[in-house]
Amino acid sequence: MTTGTIRKENGENGGGSPVGDTYTPSARRLERERFKRVRARRATAIAALSTLVTGGVLFVVITGSPGWQRTRETFFSAKYARMALPDVLDGLLLNLRLLAICGVCVLLLGLLLAVARTLRGPVFFPVRALATAYTDFFRGLPLIICLLMVVFGVPALRLQGVTNDPVVLGGTALVLTYSAYVAEVFRAGIESVHPSQRAAARSLGLSGAQTLRYVVLPQAVRRVVPPLLNDLVSLQKDTGLVSIAGAVDAVYAAQIIAGKYFNYTPYVVAGLVFVALTIPMTRFTDWVTARMDRRRAQGGTV
């Protein structure tokens, strides 16, 4: 019988009245638990003390280094930080809209490319070849070159009906590049599904499309959630690159103030804002990854 259960002194069929838990920890166990508590408190105190000492040493070294005063005025000026923060936050709304719209487009296009690359049969060879060429080209092409070609090259064509909006063109370049990366993530998930899953679905009478829709993709998407979130974190940071086209986002707003007052504190403010947005997504990705690892270790469905 385990600890904490109620025992009957006179047996279950003896008609005696039940009494409370009579379990009493041994002296050795009490001593062991007391030792663990003392050790935990001591470890916490040591960690806090070492953190304070390390922080103090870093503060003294940094503030006492040559050129610190000039560095602080150039990069960490409270005056320019207060001046830049409202404009940076206004520009950040554009980055968030780009993240939301481009994120959806990237996931859809990436999934279509992955499905195209995994189609079977000789009749689909041209589709597979085009999807492979697309992913190979845009995965190898630097994002900054793709942005420059789309943002400045497309308007130079003067095509009728084609927008010259730098936000739209910049978002298009982001979608072109990131969909290639996401397509490979989806493809890895699709190929990780065991062939017996397809065979079982087909034996039940499902068509190839139904097997892909109801059997393969649900398992594949669940398995690639952590790397997909990582790609979205990278996309969130790279939305700041649309500023090279002249779109007034958080980065360009900081650039305007930095160029006007010859102080680089607005760049630090914009960078900290992006970091503040990225950290929650990163921690969420870590949590999802750890949760899936625990379920996999317990033999559950991933």
Side-chain angles (χ1 to χ4, degrees), residues 117 132-143 176-185 187:
R117 289 200 65 179
T132 303
Y134 178 93
T135 53
D136 288 347
F137 178 77
F138 283 103
R139 285 177 69 198
L141 185 68
L143 175 58
L176 289 174
T177 299
Y178 271 90
S179 60
Y181 289 101
V182 170
E184 288 302 283
V185 174
R187 188 170 70 92

Side-chain angles (χ1 to χ4, degrees), residues 48-59:
L49 180 62
S50 63
T51 302
L52 288 176
V53 171
T54 304
V57 170
L58 289 175
F59 178 79

Side-chain angles (χ1 to χ4, degrees), residues 23 33 108 177 192 252 270 290 296:
Y23 171 74
E33 291 177 351
L108 292 177
T177 299
S192 69
Y252 196 73
R296 188 181 296 110

